[in-house]
Amino acid sequence: VDLNTFLLQDYGIPYGYAPCLVAHPDTLASQPQMVRAFLKATAQGFEWAAANPIEAAVILVEGAMEENNFPLDAEMVRISQEELSASYLDKDGKWGHMEAERWDTYLDWLSEHGLLTTFTQSRQPIDGTSATLDELRAGKTGDLIQRESVPSSKLFTNSFLC
């Protein structure tokens, strides 16, 4: 399969954090030690993968098959790991830390392009709150959200990271 690829930055789209881990506020409040332990283990895994991209690729390919009976193209995974592993950690060698400035830049871009809206994407949309991806592409996006009503400080926290 021939794929057309493009880099978001080539189109002026700023990098927003992806993928993101999400937790319910009740879980953060009631089980903070469990959240910290999970994030610590996750950070250790990313730090190891950043230092050992080839071995991490092998583990990913083997794990996908063993755990999910899902074959991955080993060469593609190796190349991907070698390319992406440099981005796993911040300038201080830490995983998971987010910066408000990056969130603000991304939110500003979404707002400037009319993409900060009330509808979310769903495979099973609920009328008035979500839409399918095709519906979103066709303009069924809900109402625009004013940028100033979305403070980046409400979107993330670094307080559970080691």
Side-chain angles (χ1 to χ4, degrees), residues 14-18 20 87-108 147 150-159 161:
Y15 176 74
Y17 291 103
C20 292
S87 301
Y88 289 163
L89 309 178
D90 66 15
K91 64 184 180 331
D92 299 320
K94 298 291 184 186
W95 170 85
H97 292 266
M98 295 186 178
E99 298 174 1
E101 182 180 346
R102 180 174 286 180
W103 275 107
D104 286 331
T105 299
Y106 186 64
L107 289 167
D108 291 346
R147 170 61 182 96
V150 186
S152 61
S153 62
K154 297 290 186 181
L155 299 179
F156 76 98
T157 180
N158 290 321
S159 63
L161 297 169

Side-chain angles (χ1 to χ4, degrees), residues 18-162:
C20 292
L21 300 177
V22 180
H24 194 280
D26 291 349
T27 302
L28 298 176
S30 67
Q31 300 180 59
Q33 290 308 102
M34 183 271 301
V35 173
R36 284 186 183 89
F38 173 79
L39 292 174
K40 181 178 180 181
T42 303
Q44 289 171 340
F46 272 93
E47 290 164 4
W48 184 87
N52 304 281
I54 304 303
E55 294 91 337
V58 170
I59 290 170
L60 178 58
V61 169
E62 290 175 354
M65 183 54 81
E66 290 171 13
E67 298 295 325
N68 299 302
N69 199 31
F70 191 83
L72 295 174
D73 180 326
E75 182 65 7
M76 186 276 303
V77 172
R78 182 191 62 76
I79 293 168
S80 177
Q81 269 300 101
E82 287 181 323
E83 181 69 26
L84 295 176
S85 64
S87 301
Y88 289 163
L89 309 178
D90 66 15
K91 64 184 180 331
D92 299 320
K94 298 291 184 186
W95 170 85
H97 292 266
M98 295 186 178
E99 298 174 1
E101 182 180 346
R102 180 174 286 180
W103 275 107
D104 286 331
T105 299
Y106 186 64
L107 289 167
D108 291 346
W109 181 85
L110 289 173
S111 181
E112 289 164 11
H113 291 84
L115 299 172
L116 196 58
T117 62
T118 56
F119 277 19
T120 58
Q121 188 269 332
S122 175
R123 290 186 178 125
Q124 298 176 335
I126 299 169
D127 194 41
T129 62
S130 58
T132 66
L133 186 55
D134 287 337
E135 290 172 327
L136 290 170
R137 288 180 183 137
K140 183 178 178 183
T141 59
D143 298 323
L144 290 175
I145 298 173
Q146 296 300 309
R147 170 61 182 96
E148 59 273 4
S149 71
V150 186
S152 61
S153 62
K154 297 290 186 181
L155 299 179
F156 76 98
T157 180
N158 290 321
S159 63
F160 291 90
L161 297 169
C162 299

